Amino acid sequence: MSDIRKAGKTSVAVIGAGHAGVEAALAAARMGIDTVLFTMSLDAIANLPCNPSIGGTAKGHLVFEIDALGGEMGRAADLVTLQSRTLNLGKGAAVQSKRVQADRKKYQSIIKHTLEQADHLRLVQSEIVEIGVETDENSKSRVASVTSRLGEKWQCDCAIIATGTYLESAIFVGNVSYEAGPDGMLPAKGLSASLQKIGVKLLRFKTGTPARVKRSGIDFSRLEEQPGEAPILPYSVLSDRKKLEELKQIPCHIVYTNAETHRIIRENIHRSAMYSGKIHGTGPRYCPSIEDKLVRFADKERHQLFVEPMGEDTEEMYIQGFSTSLPIDVQHQMLASLDGFENAEIMRYAYAIEYDCADPTQMNATLEFKKISGLFGAGQFNGTSGYEEAAAQGLVAGINAALKLKGEEPVVLSRASGYIGTLIDDLVTKGTNEPYRMMTSRSEYRLLLRQDNADRRLTPIGYRVGLISEERYQRFLTKIAEQEAEKNRLEETVLSPLIVNPFLKSMGETELKSGASIADLLRRPSVTYDKLAEIDTNRPSLTPEQRMNVEYDIKYAGYANRQLADVERRRKLEERRLPADIDYRSIKGLRIEAAQKLDQLRPLTLGQASRISGVNPADISVLLIYLGIR
């Protein structure tokens, strides 16, 4: 065994094996860096403690982007899909998002086995309670070690904190509260104090989960059935499309709260941990508890709930949208008030959970802490919510830890490159005062950031850092070349009214008076690439993904070009780096508030500086003048 592989020494220590920790550890290890992944329980690796689903609005985009960069979540999700649906099909392509119902235990098993088989990676069940930091001759701090509760000290060059909701976590059910992690696991104790000791500012957030109910106690005949869609679009280019096409999907169901449900909640709301004053952490705005929904949306007569399976080999059902911290007697009453749930049995009670996390403005866009070299944060530790947001950050943190140790330039994803870039930029420049959730509305470039073009945007980066194999990259280049050739053919091929008009008439579209290119026909709202096969018989054989990409590229070219022009206008600001030692308080003409914010957050570029709250366009003009005459 080489020195680096000896117990007590590694290059990268990853703390926590949730979705962020998994992606971070796999990325660093696959880039050839010796990595140790620490987890409090090997049985909790890649747990889905809340909703057993992967994807959703904007979250599906993140999963496609993770796969495009060489991450693991999409491939594993495809292997455990129980049902697949695309959300927002009635809207434009930019906001359409894939979501799968996942088999919870199978997902964990696949991820755990993947970690166990990975080269350069060790899995260790051990709780880390201390981060060791050293100071060099220039008074700069750097990570030197991590120490476990059992007293084992591991020397390391980088540490990635991905503690999820375990950090000093506490469970709340009515007036009962106790220290615990999700699903009754032990909480992580001691690490918060160590982080504060080395200067990390912590926040206190809250999230929650609904009860799990036994399938046999539900009368599904009184619920709305929600079938899956076919064909299934895979998350990962590595997935076996044929297996997904043969998948027998499990239906989900919809039920609604009613006047009786609302009466029970309102009469007992004072007993909710949220409203009794027991919970002090800030909860998620976009995934509120059912009692919070009734307060916020008092005029709504009912709320939609989704009844979803936890897996093929379990009777547990999840009720999405029914999260609560009300006491268990109220939970039973609430459940029985739902149509079809009069005889339902609760298998796991709903609860709220409070936990520590870091203020993400302490980090650079690489997710490395500005004042502690080698210390990275990822996932819910950075103040986000959701498995997908966590996995995306873990992947970036793992890549950048590996690049740092290799002495190579870090990966900093721009807002125009993907939702991952938007997510991280929002966190490190704006911060968050509540669990951050990715939504398509957060991106000003969402017309450019579709699910279907994630590989075109990010696979070259994954290839450059070593997470995309040569074979996969060559397949990617071939795919892109075929798509471009097809787009050119559609633009250049002109069809006569004699051929086109019967087709247009059948679709209720305005007929032509002169010839038109196939691309022009495709730009019509009701015309799709697949429908055009009726009159466009001399077309190449493309995959469903390629056909989708070609269609959307042509349909939205005008909008996309305008956004690309905007990206180009802003590029100069994004590329203009700010000196690390700049003294903002000494710059004449810079407002006091702007100087204070810039000094505190230390943005890397003028583009980042322009998005900081309290920094206005006049301040950016002052900085431009300052940098020009310096």
Side-chain angles (χ1 to χ4, degrees), residues 410-431:
V411 166
V412 175
L413 298 176
S414 71
R415 297 179 71 87
S417 70
Y419 280 93
I420 298 177
T422 304
L423 162 67
I424 294 174
D425 186 70
D426 278 351
L427 290 173
V428 302
T429 60
K430 302 173 185 176

mmCIF file of all heavy atoms in Angstrom, residues 410-431:
data_model
loop_
_atom_site.group_PDB
_atom_site.id
_atom_site.type_symbol
_atom_site.label_atom_id
_atom_site.label_comp_id
_atom_site.label_asym_id
_atom_site.label_seq_id
_atom_site.Cartn_x
_atom_site.Cartn_y
_atom_site.Cartn_z
ATOM 1 N N PRO A 410 -9.626 25.856 -12.078
ATOM 2 C CA PRO A 410 -10.904 25.316 -11.609
ATOM 3 C C PRO A 410 -11.993 25.437 -12.658
ATOM 4 O O PRO A 410 -11.867 26.180 -13.633
ATOM 5 C CB PRO A 410 -11.226 26.186 -10.389
ATOM 6 C CG PRO A 410 -10.567 27.492 -10.685
ATOM 7 C CD PRO A 410 -9.291 27.129 -11.410
ATOM 8 N N VAL A 411 -13.078 24.696 -12.441
ATOM 9 C CA VAL A 411 -14.270 24.812 -13.273
ATOM 10 C C VAL A 411 -15.232 25.779 -12.591
ATOM 11 O O VAL A 411 -15.664 25.542 -11.466
ATOM 12 C CB VAL A 411 -14.953 23.445 -13.471
ATOM 13 C CG1 VAL A 411 -16.366 23.612 -14.030
ATOM 14 C CG2 VAL A 411 -14.123 22.559 -14.395
ATOM 15 N N VAL A 412 -15.520 26.881 -13.258
ATOM 16 C CA VAL A 412 -16.512 27.847 -12.782
ATOM 17 C C VAL A 412 -17.585 27.933 -13.864
ATOM 18 O O VAL A 412 -17.347 28.456 -14.941
ATOM 19 C CB VAL A 412 -15.888 29.232 -12.518
ATOM 20 C CG1 VAL A 412 -16.979 30.230 -12.135
ATOM 21 C CG2 VAL A 412 -14.837 29.147 -11.422
ATOM 22 N N LEU A 413 -18.737 27.382 -13.561
ATOM 23 C CA LEU A 413 -19.823 27.351 -14.541
ATOM 24 C C LEU A 413 -20.570 28.678 -14.522
ATOM 25 O O LEU A 413 -20.990 29.151 -13.472
ATOM 26 C CB LEU A 413 -20.784 26.200 -14.225
ATOM 27 C CG LEU A 413 -20.170 24.795 -14.288
ATOM 28 C CD1 LEU A 413 -21.186 23.755 -13.862
ATOM 29 C CD2 LEU A 413 -19.654 24.494 -15.686
ATOM 30 N N SER A 414 -20.760 29.254 -15.685
ATOM 31 C CA SER A 414 -21.464 30.526 -15.788
ATOM 32 C C SER A 414 -22.969 30.318 -15.737
ATOM 33 O O SER A 414 -23.464 29.197 -15.926
ATOM 34 C CB SER A 414 -21.098 31.223 -17.102
ATOM 35 O OG SER A 414 -21.678 30.522 -18.199
ATOM 36 N N ARG A 415 -23.704 31.375 -15.529
ATOM 37 C CA ARG A 415 -25.161 31.309 -15.534
ATOM 38 C C ARG A 415 -25.687 30.908 -16.914
ATOM 39 O O ARG A 415 -26.744 30.285 -17.022
ATOM 40 C CB ARG A 415 -25.756 32.654 -15.117
ATOM 41 C CG ARG A 415 -25.405 33.087 -13.710
ATOM 42 C CD ARG A 415 -26.010 34.436 -13.376
ATOM 43 N NE ARG A 415 -27.462 34.356 -13.211
ATOM 44 C CZ ARG A 415 -28.081 34.060 -12.076
ATOM 45 N NH1 ARG A 415 -27.380 33.792 -10.985
ATOM 46 N NH2 ARG A 415 -29.407 34.024 -12.021
ATOM 47 N N ALA A 416 -24.952 31.260 -17.948
ATOM 48 C CA ALA A 416 -25.391 30.941 -19.300
ATOM 49 C C ALA A 416 -25.065 29.509 -19.693
ATOM 50 O O ALA A 416 -25.569 29.012 -20.703
ATOM 51 C CB ALA A 416 -24.748 31.902 -20.301
ATOM 52 N N SER A 417 -24.240 28.815 -18.896
ATOM 53 C CA SER A 417 -23.852 27.451 -19.247
ATOM 54 C C SER A 417 -24.823 26.418 -18.713
ATOM 55 O O SER A 417 -24.850 25.281 -19.189
ATOM 56 C CB SER A 417 -22.443 27.143 -18.722
ATOM 57 O OG SER A 417 -22.454 27.045 -17.304
ATOM 58 N N GLY A 418 -25.606 26.770 -17.684
ATOM 59 C CA GLY A 418 -26.530 25.780 -17.154
ATOM 60 C C GLY A 418 -27.169 26.205 -15.851
ATOM 61 O O GLY A 418 -26.806 27.217 -15.243
ATOM 62 N N TYR A 419 -28.131 25.401 -15.437
ATOM 63 C CA TYR A 419 -28.786 25.651 -14.157
ATOM 64 C C TYR A 419 -27.825 25.427 -12.999
ATOM 65 O O TYR A 419 -27.975 26.031 -11.936
ATOM 66 C CB TYR A 419 -30.020 24.760 -14.015
ATOM 67 C CG TYR A 419 -31.212 25.293 -14.767
ATOM 68 C CD1 TYR A 419 -31.473 24.886 -16.074
ATOM 69 C CD2 TYR A 419 -32.060 26.229 -14.203
ATOM 70 C CE1 TYR A 419 -32.547 25.386 -16.779
ATOM 71 C CE2 TYR A 419 -33.139 26.737 -14.904
ATOM 72 C CZ TYR A 419 -33.381 26.322 -16.190
ATOM 73 O OH TYR A 419 -34.453 26.832 -16.886
ATOM 74 N N ILE A 420 -26.837 24.566 -13.184
ATOM 75 C CA ILE A 420 -25.840 24.381 -12.125
ATOM 76 C C ILE A 420 -25.093 25.687 -11.888
ATOM 77 O O ILE A 420 -24.865 26.094 -10.746
ATOM 78 C CB ILE A 420 -24.853 23.248 -12.469
ATOM 79 C CG1 ILE A 420 -25.592 21.912 -12.602
ATOM 80 C CG2 ILE A 420 -23.777 23.136 -11.395
ATOM 81 C CD1 ILE A 420 -24.705 20.744 -13.001
ATOM 82 N N GLY A 421 -24.713 26.360 -12.980
ATOM 83 C CA GLY A 421 -24.034 27.648 -12.848
ATOM 84 C C GLY A 421 -24.918 28.685 -12.195
ATOM 85 O O GLY A 421 -24.459 29.481 -11.364
ATOM 86 N N THR A 422 -26.199 28.701 -12.545
ATOM 87 C CA THR A 422 -27.148 29.637 -11.944
ATOM 88 C C THR A 422 -27.298 29.374 -10.456
ATOM 89 O O THR A 422 -27.282 30.302 -9.639
ATOM 90 C CB THR A 422 -28.520 29.513 -12.637
ATOM 91 O OG1 THR A 422 -28.356 29.711 -14.042
ATOM 92 C CG2 THR A 422 -29.508 30.525 -12.082
ATOM 93 N N LEU A 423 -27.464 28.112 -10.106
ATOM 94 C CA LEU A 423 -27.602 27.696 -8.712
ATOM 95 C C LEU A 423 -26.431 28.179 -7.868
ATOM 96 O O LEU A 423 -26.609 28.826 -6.819
ATOM 97 C CB LEU A 423 -27.712 26.169 -8.662
ATOM 98 C CG LEU A 423 -27.457 25.437 -7.341
ATOM 99 C CD1 LEU A 423 -28.547 25.763 -6.337
ATOM 100 C CD2 LEU A 423 -27.375 23.932 -7.571
ATOM 101 N N ILE A 424 -25.231 27.888 -8.314
ATOM 102 C CA ILE A 424 -24.040 28.231 -7.532
ATOM 103 C C ILE A 424 -23.830 29.737 -7.489
ATOM 104 O O ILE A 424 -23.498 30.305 -6.442
ATOM 105 C CB ILE A 424 -22.803 27.495 -8.093
ATOM 106 C CG1 ILE A 424 -22.963 25.982 -7.874
ATOM 107 C CG2 ILE A 424 -21.520 28.004 -7.437
ATOM 108 C CD1 ILE A 424 -21.876 25.151 -8.520
ATOM 109 N N ASP A 425 -24.053 30.409 -8.609
ATOM 110 C CA ASP A 425 -23.890 31.861 -8.641
ATOM 111 C C ASP A 425 -24.875 32.546 -7.688
ATOM 112 O O ASP A 425 -24.511 33.481 -6.968
ATOM 113 C CB ASP A 425 -24.087 32.388 -10.063
ATOM 114 C CG ASP A 425 -23.795 33.877 -10.174
ATOM 115 O OD1 ASP A 425 -22.620 34.266 -10.060
ATOM 116 O OD2 ASP A 425 -24.752 34.645 -10.344
ATOM 117 N N ASP A 426 -26.122 32.087 -7.683
ATOM 118 C CA ASP A 426 -27.110 32.630 -6.751
ATOM 119 C C ASP A 426 -26.643 32.466 -5.308
ATOM 120 O O ASP A 426 -26.750 33.388 -4.489
ATOM 121 C CB ASP A 426 -28.460 31.929 -6.922
ATOM 122 C CG ASP A 426 -29.281 32.487 -8.069
ATOM 123 O OD1 ASP A 426 -28.890 33.523 -8.642
ATOM 124 O OD2 ASP A 426 -30.321 31.886 -8.400
ATOM 125 N N LEU A 427 -26.121 31.286 -4.987
ATOM 126 C CA LEU A 427 -25.726 31.001 -3.607
ATOM 127 C C LEU A 427 -24.561 31.873 -3.162
ATOM 128 O O LEU A 427 -24.595 32.447 -2.064
ATOM 129 C CB LEU A 427 -25.348 29.520 -3.468
ATOM 130 C CG LEU A 427 -26.480 28.503 -3.576
ATOM 131 C CD1 LEU A 427 -25.920 27.089 -3.585
ATOM 132 C CD2 LEU A 427 -27.478 28.667 -2.426
ATOM 133 N N VAL A 428 -23.522 31.960 -3.995
ATOM 134 C CA VAL A 428 -22.302 32.619 -3.530
ATOM 135 C C VAL A 428 -22.344 34.135 -3.669
ATOM 136 O O VAL A 428 -21.580 34.843 -3.001
ATOM 137 C CB VAL A 428 -21.048 32.048 -4.242
ATOM 138 C CG1 VAL A 428 -20.928 30.546 -4.006
ATOM 139 C CG2 VAL A 428 -21.047 32.359 -5.728
ATOM 140 N N THR A 429 -23.232 34.653 -4.523
ATOM 141 C CA THR A 429 -23.307 36.117 -4.679
ATOM 142 C C THR A 429 -24.473 36.724 -3.911
ATOM 143 O O THR A 429 -24.361 37.828 -3.386
ATOM 144 C CB THR A 429 -23.437 36.524 -6.156
ATOM 145 O OG1 THR A 429 -24.629 35.958 -6.698
ATOM 146 C CG2 THR A 429 -22.242 36.081 -6.957
ATOM 147 N N LYS A 430 -25.594 36.012 -3.848
ATOM 148 C CA LYS A 430 -26.777 36.549 -3.179
ATOM 149 C C LYS A 430 -27.010 35.925 -1.811
ATOM 150 O O LYS A 430 -27.675 36.519 -0.946
ATOM 151 C CB LYS A 430 -28.017 36.317 -4.055
ATOM 152 C CG LYS A 430 -27.924 36.941 -5.438
ATOM 153 C CD LYS A 430 -29.116 36.524 -6.295
ATOM 154 C CE LYS A 430 -28.977 37.045 -7.720
ATOM 155 N NZ LYS A 430 -30.086 36.575 -8.588
ATOM 156 N N GLY A 431 -26.499 34.712 -1.611
ATOM 157 C CA GLY A 431 -26.782 34.012 -0.377
ATOM 158 C C GLY A 431 -28.229 33.570 -0.347
ATOM 159 O O GLY A 431 -28.971 33.683 -1.326
#
